[in-house]
Amino acid sequence: MIAQLRIDDRLIHGQVALVWTKELDTPGIVVANDNAANNEMVQMTLKMATPTGKKLLIRSVDDAIKVFNNPKGKNMRMFALTNCVADALKIAQNVEDIDGINVANVGRFADKSEGETHQVGSTLMLSDSELEALKELTKLDVPVFQQVVPSNPKTSISSMLKK
């Protein structure tokens, strides 16, 4: 069961490692990212950023979906991370048990080759394709919100898109 699926450009960093892992109180983190799953340097960096005592799985998006749907992990709370909306959408469309999707930090470091970006919030700068994926995400039966740190209020992504 996914306690939270967080979309964050940087995957694991200080806020995630020190604040969110304590807030969500999950035994482990699952990074669902094709690049990380195939890049030893990225894997090393993510392992170094993982808090002591937390388990870390780094999987491709498709393999992460298999992990989330595995009956053995049905009762295990997991904190899932991906770095783009399209990957989160794929996970959300293929995994039933997700408590919430936190669209935290997206697009600030993105490749600008896709053209103009749309600023949806102070930490959300989306390409056309990511914006469409975000709209699709809000149509699913799971809460989709932005909350950079737990002390911030949750802001509905649907309300942000209406502005």
Side-chain angles (χ1 to χ4, degrees):
M1 163 257 178
I2 299 175
Q4 184 179 107
L5 172 55
R6 179 180 171 97
I7 308 168
D8 194 313
D9 290 328
R10 298 176 288 165
L11 297 170
I12 301 176
H13 55 86
Q15 287 174 354
V16 170
L18 300 175
V19 180
W20 280 106
T21 56
K22 287 179 183 163
E23 177 72 16
L24 296 171
D25 192 29
T26 59
I29 300 169
V30 179
V31 171
N33 181 268
D34 293 343
N35 178 54
N38 295 301
N39 185 320
E40 288 184 29
M41 184 66 80
V42 172
Q43 290 173 22
M44 243 189 327
T45 305
L46 292 170
K47 287 175 186 174
M48 288 190 305
T50 301
T52 303
K54 297 288 181 187
K55 293 181 180 176
L56 174 66
L57 286 176
I58 303 169
R59 299 289 186 265
S60 68
V61 175
D62 289 336
D63 286 346
I65 290 168
K66 291 174 188 170
V67 169
F68 301 138
N69 287 326
N70 187 325
K72 292 180 185 176
K74 183 173 174 57
N75 295 320
M76 182 185 297
R77 289 172 41 83
M78 294 178 252
F79 180 23
L81 296 164
T82 189
N83 68 352
C84 70
V85 181
D87 288 349
L89 177 61
K90 185 173 184 177
I91 292 166
Q93 289 172 327
N94 290 284
V95 177
E96 287 186 21
D97 203 3
I98 302 174
D99 282 354
I101 301 172
N102 185 355
V103 187
N105 299 300
V106 183
R108 296 173 305 153
F109 310 111
D111 176 10
K112 304 299 181 206
S113 65
E114 268 201 69
E116 186 179 331
T117 58
H118 307 274
Q119 188 156 359
V120 177
S122 62
T123 62
L124 302 180
M125 286 139 243
L126 306 174
S127 66
D128 290 340
S129 63
E130 286 281 278
L131 182 59
E132 287 308 310
L134 186 61
K135 289 175 182 176
E136 288 301 311
L137 203 53
T138 63
K139 294 176 185 176
L140 301 177
D141 190 27
V142 62
V144 182
F145 56 89
Q146 182 184 41
Q147 186 179 28
V148 177
V149 293
S151 59
N152 294 145
K154 288 181 181 179
T155 303
S156 161
I157 291 296
S158 293
S159 68
M160 293 173 74
L161 289 172
K162 290 177 185 172
K163 292 180 181 179

